[in-house]
Amino acid sequence: MLRPFVAYLRVYEPVSAFGSELAGQLREAIAASRVTRANAGEREQLLWLRSQMAVPARMLPAELPDGSAAPSGLREVLVLRTADIPPAGKTSEGDSVVVGPGPLVCPLEIRARSAAALVNFLGTAHPVLRAASISPPVEEIRAHASAALADVAGAAVHVLSSAYSVPLPWFTLIDPAQRQVLLGERNDPERQVVYRTSMGQARQRVEHARQLAVDSFGEQGPAKLLSDTREWLGRFHPHSAVELDYGGLVQVMSDEMLAEDSSAADVHGIVTALESGDAEEVAERFERLRDFWSELASRERIN
């Protein structure tokens, strides 16, 4: 089965960040988890299909017939060891960056994320498509989705996703040199491009980029996207880890395309160029990024 053509930005928190009430359940989920970075997308597809094939059908995956969250939903987690995170080093103030203690956990929260996607669909889909896709009244759907979002076990969902592209602000969080690439057949679930970093370093990098964007372009545009990303990161435990995963995008990217991918370096090059006031360098790197990602963007329009 092909993975969804989706990239992910994930936060993995220490179990203690979820409070004592959920900690025991999460430890059990960690011990029993069979979900991996490679099969997470496939697992999410399966949960959604089950919700639609149930009798009666569920509006959202991982919920009971009465519309409440299914207890099994908390068992859908990804796990990361602290050893999988590159050395954290120090902040710009000279303080040591801490990650853990491990294992670190990232709940998939598929019910809440599906609810957010459903609300977005209601707001952006053409009325004809919306009418053909959903039968309950729109206000009923909005109320149900809002209740699902309120059930998130924490301050925010731990996974952001993007179809057919990687949002450029995500690259500001990571170190371009810490790219992990594993090639193979395009439909091989182990094929990957992944970056990982500590929460402390991610917050420091995004704030630096945000301030430069504000000084250069004002509060809107790139600065607004970076501000939203900074706010999202600020909702999690400071000793968490952050993962940028190309996910299923690697299935539509050739080995040559992945070898030529300099997106992270280009985004960091833009940050450096803004710092030095080199407008020509900024324009050149933006153009390179636009050209690289335009092919994938066209696939989304075709779909």
Side-chain angles (χ1 to χ4, degrees), residues 100-166:
L104 304 172
V105 62
C106 175
L108 291 185
E109 296 161 329
I110 186 172
R111 180 171 179 261
R113 290 167 51 218
S114 297
L118 184 56
V119 170
N120 181 65
F121 175 79
L122 292 176
T124 60
H126 189 281
V128 174
L129 175 61
R130 189 170 61 222
S133 302
I134 55 178
S135 53
V138 170
E139 291 311 311
E140 178 184 331
I141 295 174
R142 289 189 192 279
H144 189 89
S146 296
L149 287 168
D151 286 342
V152 173
V157 293
H158 288 70
V159 184
L160 302 182
S161 57
S162 176
Y164 290 95
S165 67
V166 178

Side-chain angles (χ1 to χ4, degrees), residues 1 7 11 15 19 32-33 95 188 201 205 221 238 242 250 252 281:
M1 180 184 294
V11 170
V15 173
S33 178
D95 299 322
D188 184 344
Q201 290 173 316
R205 290 170 181 143
V242 179
V250 296
V252 290
E281 179 73 6

Side-chain angles (χ1 to χ4, degrees), residues 86 171 174-183 192-196 244 246 250 253-265 292-293:
F171 287 111
I174 50 84
D175 180 350
Q178 291 171 343
R179 183 175 186 244
Q180 301 176 36
V181 182
L182 184 61
L183 302 178
Q192 69 170 18
V193 174
V194 172
Y195 298 87
R196 295 186 181 116
L244 168 53
Y246 276 34
V250 296
M253 302 172 75
S254 66
D255 290 358
E256 292 75 19
M257 190 175 183
L258 291 177
E260 295 170 359
D261 177 21
S262 60
S263 299
F292 182 83
W293 290 103

Side-chain angles (χ1 to χ4, degrees), residues 25-47:
Q25 298 178 62
L26 283 172
R27 289 192 181 95
E28 291 178 5
I30 290 170
S33 178
R34 297 296 181 268
V35 184
T36 67
R37 182 211 55 78
N39 68 20
E42 181 179 341
R43 179 62 179 168
E44 292 177 356
Q45 285 180 320
L46 177 61
L47 290 173

Side-chain angles (χ1 to χ4, degrees), residues 69 73 92 119 158 172 185 204 220 241 243 245 254 263 272 283 299:
S92 56
V119 170
H158 288 70
T172 64
E185 297 296 326
Q204 180 178 304
Q220 298 305 309
E243 178 182 75
D245 179 7
S254 66
S263 299
T272 301
R299 289 173 183 260

